[in-house]
């Protein structure tokens, strides 16, 4: 289901709504069009702070109230569909020093809310913020939901009770509820005044202020961490999906990190700070649980959730972490999501079969992918670059021949021509479409021209009817570079079907990506397909008999199985890309940027580029706001040093575009809130540059 669309115009309540997680969750809900009610007692030292909602305060309702107040809860729950129950006391030390207050907040308040739902709104859905602390000291790592529940402190005991209340009300009274057992959450709006509500925020403050960070023991304890926007996304999924009802789920990070490594990473990012190892204080040693990290596969499999921000991701060759200012908006996410179970099954199937090269998985995928592209034949190869080069070899194009192509693309398009000995000839791009300009092709054709090689750049199809007509008049082949245009169409016809053959890439960032590298060729010519299959496998006519010159470039069974598992999701992913691109176009109207138009409804938005004469300043400004962008491509291919000996023609439009182009974040399932965040930042930054 589209869990984000679920919240549009839906009344939602967040207890603890102006705290750390609550305020970040509120932002996402506001962006999704929900009607948001925040409930918070604003008890000092518990994290609630009106500062956290200052930029959305006019788009939410706020009720300052204590969840323990039964009459207030009876009123507030009446007209909401989903309740995110985040209110609570989370300090382990405070729970041991003042157990009665912890009992009141973490037990009585839960009953107050649930009873209000039972009596006044039994159709409400409640998502409870649980904690990994309920497990206590783990018997084995990573910890699954089947691990024994045996807390080491009062807070853990009361959180277990609060969680069980939710499950009982789900099972007995029909108040739909579930619990997310959170690990260490970090990110913006985290309480950093003291260290009683989590150590990572406190460590961040000490590093920023160049103060000493104390680590208890030798710092070898492992923890997993979840960025707050990922935690908020987990709540959104759980709230929208009834399959979660009556269940508890671990929500943990992608990888464990030791306290020692965490502190050194923080110091590296801050540029200062110092660490000292000290003995454990007695009261903390008594309740310490040792190393802990969670297995979140149950929740990932059911909901498609994935932690999008890994703690170790960041700039620099050492992978230095940017914990203090993690990107608010990532450029893309490459981990399997809703396709995860299918991908896992595909990998297991290949391993169980024990056949890894040119087997049944490749044959099946070649056939399925060709049909998806509107072609008769498919040939799996090692990379998209190899796909182009093998097509050229199959057509007998080589030394002494010229191939007309575009100056704006990944350089591999031209390198593939050079691999077979042909000379790439560059024709400048259409300033609107940003693909090769048909008006310049005819003038570039010479007696040496053997093929025209258009690239469907960024997912925008080149003007194939015009290109095909030129090629037909001059009797030259058309080879389509479809590496960025899976499922694209041009004038209602699949790209790849205008020429004699088409090349595709399955590099992980592509619209259909492998978990490694891979490529494919599609064609409608049976004889050419047979020859291309021989060439990709060393020119073999049968085993150990090489009838012609060939190469070794084969799509392996593992990647073929993974791609076959993902292919059924591709149309949905394409629709998602188009929807987010359409939202960008609406939101960027009137912004001081050049947004290349959609020239054909078959655009599949591999990338969403904009143009700015002040690109570097604009990109730096977006980076300061936590928004990742990339440049595709900063150097026109003719200006690459490797092309110097080919004496390429001048391409002034390509020069201008490569000096100004900036790719915005865009990927399937990208939260609409992130699209709006990027657009709002662009509106501010573009006018400032």
């Amino acid at each position: 289901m589209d869990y984000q669309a679920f919240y549009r115009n839906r009344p939602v309540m967040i207890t603890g709504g102006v705290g750390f997680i609550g305020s970040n969750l509120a932002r996402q809900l506001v962006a999704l069009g929900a009607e948001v009610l925040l409930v918070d007692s604003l008890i000092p030292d518990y994290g609630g702070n009106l500062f956290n909602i200052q930029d959305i305060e006019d788009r939410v309702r706020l009720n300052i109230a204590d969840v323990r107040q039964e009459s207030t809860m009876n009123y507030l729950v009446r007209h909401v569909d989903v309740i995110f129950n985040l209110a609570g006391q989370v300090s382990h030390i405070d729970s041991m020093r003042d157990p009665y207050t912890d009992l009141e907040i973490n037990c009585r308040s839960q009953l107050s809310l649930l009873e209000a739902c039972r009596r006044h709104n039994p159709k409400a859905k409640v998502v409870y913020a649980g904690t990994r602390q309920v497990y206590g000291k783990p018997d084995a790592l990573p910890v699954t939901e089947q691990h024994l529940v045996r807390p080491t402190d009062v807070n853990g005991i009361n959180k277990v009770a609060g969680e069980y209340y939710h499950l009982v009300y789900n099972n007995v009274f029909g108040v739909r509820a579930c619990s997310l057992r959170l690990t260490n959450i970090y990110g913006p709006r985290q309480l950093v005044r003291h260290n009683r509500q989590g150590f990572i925020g406190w460590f961040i403050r000490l590093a920023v202020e160049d103060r000493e960070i104390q680590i208890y023991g030798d710092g070898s304890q492992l923890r997993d961490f979840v960025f707050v926007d990922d935690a908020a996304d987990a709540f959104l999924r759980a709230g929208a999906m009834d399959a979660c009802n009556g269940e508890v789920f671990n929500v943990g990070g992608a990888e464990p990190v030791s306290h020692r490594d965490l502190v050194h990473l923080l110091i590296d990012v801050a540029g200062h700070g110092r660490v000292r190892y000290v003995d454990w204080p007695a009261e903390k040693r008594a309740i310490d649980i040792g190393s802990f990290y969670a297995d979140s596969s149950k929740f990932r499999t059911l909901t498609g959730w994935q932690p999008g921000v890994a703690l170790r991701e960041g700039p620099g060759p050492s992978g230095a972490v940017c914990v203090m200012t993690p990107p608010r908006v990532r450029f893309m996410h490459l981990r399997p999501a809703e396709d995860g179970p299918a991908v896992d099954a595909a990998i297991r199937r290949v391993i169980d079969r024990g056949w890894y090269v040119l087997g049944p998985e490749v044959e099946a995928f070649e056939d399925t992918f060709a049909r998806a592209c509107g072609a008769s034949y498919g040939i799996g190869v090692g990379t998209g670059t190899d796909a182009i080069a093998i097509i050229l070899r199959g057509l007998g194009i080589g030394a002494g021949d010229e191939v007309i192509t575009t100056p704006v693309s990944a350089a591999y398009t031209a390198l593939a021509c050079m691999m077979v000995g042909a000379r790439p000839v560059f024709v400048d791009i259409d300033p609107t479409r940003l693909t090769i300009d048909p008006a310049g092709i005819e003038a570039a054709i010479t007696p040496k021209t053997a093929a025209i090689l258009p690239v469907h750049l960024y997912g925008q199809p080149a003007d194939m009817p015009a290109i095909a007509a030129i090629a037909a008049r001059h009797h030259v082949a058309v080879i389509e570079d479809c590496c960025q245009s899976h499922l694209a169409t041009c004038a209602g016809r699949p790209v790849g079907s205008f020429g004699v053959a088409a090349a595709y890439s399955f590099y992980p960032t592509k619209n259909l990506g492998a978990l490694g590298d891979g490529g494919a060729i599609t064609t409608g010519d049976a004889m050419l397909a047979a020859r291309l299959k021989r060439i990709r496998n060393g020119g073999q006519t049968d085993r150990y008999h090489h009838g012609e010159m060939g190469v070794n470039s084969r799509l392996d069974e593992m990647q073929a199985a993974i791609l076959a598992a993902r292919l059924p999701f591709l149309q949905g992913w394409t629709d998602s890309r188009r929807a987010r691109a359409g939202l960008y176009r609406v939101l960027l109207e009137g912004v001081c940027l050049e947004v290349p138009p959609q020239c054909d409804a078959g655009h599949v938005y591999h990338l969403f580029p904009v143009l700015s004469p002040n690109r570097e300043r604009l990109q730096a400004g977006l980076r300061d706001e936590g928004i990742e962008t990339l440049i595709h491509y900063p150097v026109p291919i003719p200006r690459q040093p490797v092309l110097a000996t080919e004496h390429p023609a001048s391409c002034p439009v390509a020069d201008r575009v490569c000096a100004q182009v900036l790719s915005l974040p865009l990927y399937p399932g990208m939260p609409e809130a992130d699209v709006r965040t990027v657009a709002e930042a662009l509106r501010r930054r573009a006018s400032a540059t």
Side-chain angles (χ1 to χ4, degrees), residues 593-639:
L593 291 169
E594 182 181 343
V595 181
Q598 176 179 290
C599 297
D600 193 294
H603 198 321
V604 293
Y605 291 97
H606 172 59
L607 296 169
F608 193 92
V610 296
L611 302 177
S612 170
N614 301 302
R615 179 182 64 196
E616 281 67 31
R617 287 168 58 192
L618 180 60
Q619 186 177 37
L622 294 174
R623 187 185 306 116
D624 289 343
E625 296 200 31
I627 296 170
E628 289 187 333
T629 59
L630 293 175
I631 298 173
H632 299 90
Y633 298 89
V635 181
I637 303 175
R639 295 194 179 278

Side-chain angles (χ1 to χ4, degrees), residues 384-666:
T385 308
D386 286 349
I388 297 171
I390 289 170
I391 295 170
L392 293 169
R393 289 180 185 274
L395 295 174
I397 297 173
D401 294 322
E402 294 179 347
V403 177
I404 295 174
T405 192
T406 176
V408 181
S409 176
Y412 298 100
T413 303
L415 294 177
C417 300
M418 299 171 72
M419 285 167 60
V420 300
R423 176 177 179 260
V425 174
F426 300 99
V427 168
D428 210 351
I429 59 173
D430 180 321
T432 300
R433 198 181 282 258
L434 304 188
T435 57
I436 191 169
D437 189 348
I441 291 176
E442 205 142 18
I445 293 176
T446 72
K448 295 183 178 180
T449 302
I452 303 170
L453 177 56
V455 177
H456 304 302
L457 190 69
Y458 308 139
Q460 173 102 276
D463 187 354
M464 291 310 302
I467 294 170
I470 294 169
R473 284 198 299 272
H474 293 273
H475 306 289
V476 296
V478 173
I479 302 166
E480 296 180 65
D481 183 336
C482 300
C483 292
Q484 299 184 13
S485 59
H486 310 73
L487 297 192
T489 60
C490 181
R493 180 173 164 183
V495 299
S497 66
F498 290 86
V500 66
Y504 290 85
S505 169
F506 303 123
Y507 187 73
T509 61
K510 302 301 184 184
N511 291 26
L512 178 63
L515 299 186
D517 218 334
I521 301 165
T522 59
T523 182
D525 186 323
M527 292 184 62
L528 178 61
R531 187 175 188 210
L532 298 178
K533 285 189 176 183
R534 292 194 299 272
I535 292 173
R536 64 128 183 236
N537 194 27
Q540 292 186 81
T541 53
D542 52 64
R543 193 172 179 84
Y544 301 131
H545 291 81
H546 299 260
E548 61 182 309
M549 183 64 185
V551 297
N552 185 358
S553 179
R554 302 172 297 204
L555 181 66
D556 66 64
E557 287 284 282
M558 188 70 75
Q559 299 303 338
I562 291 167
L563 290 164
R566 288 182 148 184
L567 185 57
F569 296 92
L570 180 57
Q571 185 59 61
W573 292 343
T574 302
D575 294 341
S576 177
R577 287 178 181 273
R578 286 171 170 161
R580 281 142 185 84
L583 181 58
Y584 266 136
R585 292 190 181 281
V586 171
L587 296 174
L588 293 177
E589 288 182 3
V591 177
C592 297
L593 291 169
E594 182 181 343
V595 181
Q598 176 179 290
C599 297
D600 193 294
H603 198 321
V604 293
Y605 291 97
H606 172 59
L607 296 169
F608 193 92
V610 296
L611 302 177
S612 170
N614 301 302
R615 179 182 64 196
E616 281 67 31
R617 287 168 58 192
L618 180 60
Q619 186 177 37
L622 294 174
R623 187 185 306 116
D624 289 343
E625 296 200 31
I627 296 170
E628 289 187 333
T629 59
L630 293 175
I631 298 173
H632 299 90
Y633 298 89
V635 181
I637 303 175
R639 295 194 179 278
Q640 295 286 354
V642 70
L643 271 300
T645 57
E646 303 296 332
H647 306 293
S650 175
C651 297
V653 180
D655 290 341
R656 179 184 70 85
V657 168
C658 288
Q660 298 183 3
V661 70
L662 184 67
S663 299
L664 305 184
L666 180 69

Side-chain angles (χ1 to χ4, degrees), residues 55-124:
D55 57 340
I56 59 168
E57 59 186 352
D58 59 338
R59 290 180 284 173
V60 301
R61 291 187 298 131
L62 173 63
N63 191 297
I64 300 175
D66 194 315
V67 182
R68 291 170 287 183
Q69 297 171 342
E70 295 176 26
S71 60
T72 303
M73 288 301 104
N74 290 343
Y75 172 77
L76 293 178
V77 304
R78 288 176 185 267
H79 303 294
V80 296
D81 289 351
V82 182
I83 300 170
F84 296 100
N85 189 10
L86 277 60
Q89 197 289 111
V90 301
S91 171
H92 310 300
I93 292 298
D94 287 357
S95 78
M96 302 300 286
R97 295 172 178 171
D98 184 5
Y100 293 107
T101 297
D102 193 278
L103 176 68
E104 279 281 308
I105 294 175
N106 286 325
C107 290
R108 181 177 173 181
S109 63
Q110 311 311 320
L111 281 174
S112 173
L113 176 68
L114 291 166
E115 269 295 279
C117 291
R118 180 169 78 93
R119 296 178 184 277
H120 301 285
N121 188 4
K123 293 183 179 180

Side-chain angles (χ1 to χ4, degrees), residues 156-457:
I157 293 170
N158 290 330
K159 291 294 285 187
V160 171
E163 180 177 271
Y164 281 10
Y165 291 146
H166 285 76
L167 299 182
V168 167
Y169 275 69
N170 178 91
N171 298 337
V172 177
F173 299 122
V175 177
R176 296 170 299 148
C178 63
S179 175
L180 304 186
R181 292 174 175 172
L182 306 175
T183 58
N184 300 280
I185 312 299
Y186 71 99
R189 302 171 193 90
Q190 187 166 19
L191 187 149
V192 296
R193 288 197 302 269
H194 53 71
N195 65 353
R196 301 199 309 278
Q197 293 193 16
F199 65 92
I200 186 168
W202 182 244
F203 280 4
I204 290 171
R205 175 175 179 172
L206 295 177
V208 169
E209 296 179 352
D210 196 16
R211 294 162 61 187
E212 181 184 87
I213 302 174
Q214 292 187 354
I215 296 181
Y216 301 138
D218 62 3
S220 62
Q221 286 183 317
L222 297 173
R223 291 286 189 273
D224 56 345
F225 300 87
V226 179
F227 185 53
V228 67
D229 284 350
D230 290 334
D233 184 63
F235 278 100
L236 293 176
R237 292 172 186 263
M241 299 180 184
D242 277 341
C244 297
N245 297 349
E247 296 287 340
V248 297
F249 301 94
N250 290 337
V251 176
E255 62 175 350
V257 179
S258 72
H259 287 189
R260 179 177 57 248
D261 289 346
L262 170 67
V263 168
H264 286 295
L265 289 169
L266 287 170
I267 291 172
D268 285 345
V269 173
H272 44 64
R274 52 197 183 280
V275 61
R276 182 162 66 95
Y277 296 87
V278 299
D279 292 333
W280 278 89
E283 68 173 350
K284 293 188 176 182
R285 178 180 290 280
I287 62 174
D288 180 65
I289 63 171
S291 291
F292 183 100
Y293 51 97
D295 180 343
S296 305
S297 58
K298 176 183 175 182
F299 189 64
R300 292 200 308 268
T301 299
L302 183 63
T303 68
W305 177 80
Q306 289 286 342
V309 179
L311 188 66
R312 290 186 182 275
E313 290 175 356
S318 64
V321 65
C322 192
V323 175
M324 287 163 286
T325 55
R328 284 197 300 157
V329 181
R330 302 305 304 262
F331 185 78
M332 65 178 62
H333 292 287
L334 296 179
R335 298 185 183 91
E338 69 265 34
D339 59 320
V343 169
D344 289 344
I347 293 171
R348 174 49 55 190
R349 185 172 68 247
V350 173
I351 293 173
D352 289 345
R353 182 183 289 123
W355 189 341
Y356 301 108
V357 178
L358 291 185
E361 298 288 349
V362 171
E363 290 182 5
F365 175 69
E366 288 174 337
D367 181 61
T368 305
F369 182 70
R371 289 201 309 271
C373 297
S376 300
Y377 306 98
I379 302 96
V381 296
T383 66
T385 308
D386 286 349
I388 297 171
I390 289 170
I391 295 170
L392 293 169
R393 289 180 185 274
L395 295 174
I397 297 173
D401 294 322
E402 294 179 347
V403 177
I404 295 174
T405 192
T406 176
V408 181
S409 176
Y412 298 100
T413 303
L415 294 177
C417 300
M418 299 171 72
M419 285 167 60
V420 300
R423 176 177 179 260
V425 174
F426 300 99
V427 168
D428 210 351
I429 59 173
D430 180 321
T432 300
R433 198 181 282 258
L434 304 188
T435 57
I436 191 169
D437 189 348
I441 291 176
E442 205 142 18
I445 293 176
T446 72
K448 295 183 178 180
T449 302
I452 303 170
L453 177 56
V455 177
H456 304 302
L457 190 69

